Amino acid sequence: MARPIPYQPSLLRLLHGITAILVPLAWLSGLVVLANHDGRWLRLPLTVPGEWIDIHGTVGALLWPVALLFVVYAIRVGRVRLRQAANAAALLGLVLAVGSGKLMQEDWLRTGQLDHLPYHLHLVAWMLITGAVIWHVCSVLRRGGVRFAASMGQLHVRDNDGPRHWATQLLQRR
Ligand code: HEM
Ligand code: HEM
C-alpha cells in the first residue's frame, strides 16, 4: 500500500508557500538589479529594461511581513523541524536576506553608491540563501522524496486546522 502524504499544518503551508514563491522572485529580480547597476560583479551581455529596483523593492515589501510571521511560526511552533540543519539554514538565509534588504536604500544603486555595508551584507545573504535553499530542498527530497516535498503544496485542510485556529497555534509554544 502507498504511504500516505504527511499532513502539514495549514498555517505552515500558507506561510511557507508564499515565502517559497516570493524568494525566487526576489532572487531573480535581484539578479537583474545587480546586472543593471553593478558591473563589478556581473556583466550580462544586455541590460534588461524596466524599473527593476522598484520591482525588486515591491517583491521585498511583500516578502518581509510574511517572512516575519514564518520566522515566528518556525521558532515557536515548528521548532522540532529546525533540528534538521538544512531547515535551520533555510530559515537563517531568509532572515539574513530579508534583514539586510530592509537596511538597503533604494537610491544607492541608482546613484552608483556601491560600497555601503548593508549592500555587501545583502549580496552575501543572497549567496547564502541560494546555497541554503538548495541544501534544504535536497535534504527534503533525500528524506522523503517527491511525496514529502509535495506535502507542502497539498490543499486539503483538516477541520481542526482552519484559519480560526491559526492565532492559537502561533501563540502556543511547542
Ligand atoms: C533571495 C534574494 C533576495 C531577497 C530575499 C531580497 C529581499 C529584499 C528585501 C526584503 C528588501 C526590502 C524591501 C522593503 O524595503 O520593504 C530588499 C531591498 C533591496 N534589495 Fe534585495 N533581496 C534579494 C536579493 C537582492 C540582490 C541580488 C540585489 C542586487 C543588487 C538586491 C538589491 C536590493 C535593493 C537595491 C533593495 C532596495 C529596494 C527598495 O528599497 O526599493 N537584492 N531586498
Ligand atoms: C525559499 C525557499 C524556502 C525556504 C526559505 C524554506 C524554509 C523552510 C523552513 C524554515 C522550514 C522549517 C519550518 C518549521 O520549522 O516549521 C521548511 C520546511 C519544509 N520545507 Fe521549505 N523552504 C523553502 C522552499 C521549499 C521548497 C521549494 C520545498 C519543496 C521542494 C520545501 C519543502 C519543505 C518541506 C517538505 C518541509 C518540512 C520539512 C520537515 O518536516 O523537516 N521547501 N522550509
Side-chain angles (χ1 to χ4, degrees):
M1 214 170 66
R3 267 186 304 138
I5 298 183
Y7 182 82
Q8 306 290 359
S10 60
L11 180 56
L12 171 62
R13 274 180 280 155
L14 182 74
L15 297 173
H16 182 278
I18 299 175
T19 304
I21 290 169
L22 291 178
V23 166
L25 292 179
W27 194 97
L28 279 172
S29 55
L31 181 71
V32 179
V33 171
L34 191 68
N36 282 358
H37 294 275
D38 188 352
R40 295 174 304 176
W41 308 95
L42 180 77
R43 276 199 190 280
L44 290 187
L46 72 170
T47 48
V48 189
E51 291 298 324
W52 285 92
I53 294 183
D54 289 345
I55 294 172
H56 179 78
T58 305
V59 176
L62 293 172
L63 174 62
W64 79 257
V66 180
L68 189 67
L69 283 177
F70 185 29
V71 171
V72 171
Y73 180 97
I75 290 173
R76 288 183 72 95
V77 189
R79 196 150 11 119
V80 175
R81 296 172 198 259
L82 297 180
R83 289 193 199 135
Q84 283 291 331
N87 288 354
L91 192 69
L92 189 65
L94 182 66
V95 168
L96 291 176
V98 170
S100 56
K102 289 304 290 174
L103 298 175
M104 289 287 293
Q105 285 182 21
E106 58 171 302
D107 285 335
W108 284 345
L109 300 199
R110 284 201 189 97
T111 52
Q113 300 178 55
L114 303 177
D115 286 319
H116 289 281
L117 180 63
Y119 177 49
H120 289 153
L121 285 178
H122 200 46
L123 289 181
V124 170
W126 178 58
M127 286 181 247
L128 287 178
I129 195 174
T130 308
V133 168
I134 292 172
W135 181 22
H136 169 61
V137 172
C138 290
S139 147
V140 164
L141 290 173
R142 185 177 43 76
R143 281 186 288 141
V146 174
R147 287 174 74 76
F148 186 37
S151 67
M152 267 303 170
Q154 68 171 347
L155 297 175
H156 167 68
V157 174
R158 287 180 183 160
D159 285 344
N160 61 354
D161 184 32
R164 274 183 298 124
H165 303 91
W166 289 347
T168 334
Q169 289 173 9
L170 259 185
L171 295 173
Q172 238 167 28
R173 258 172 185 274
R174 290 261 168 93

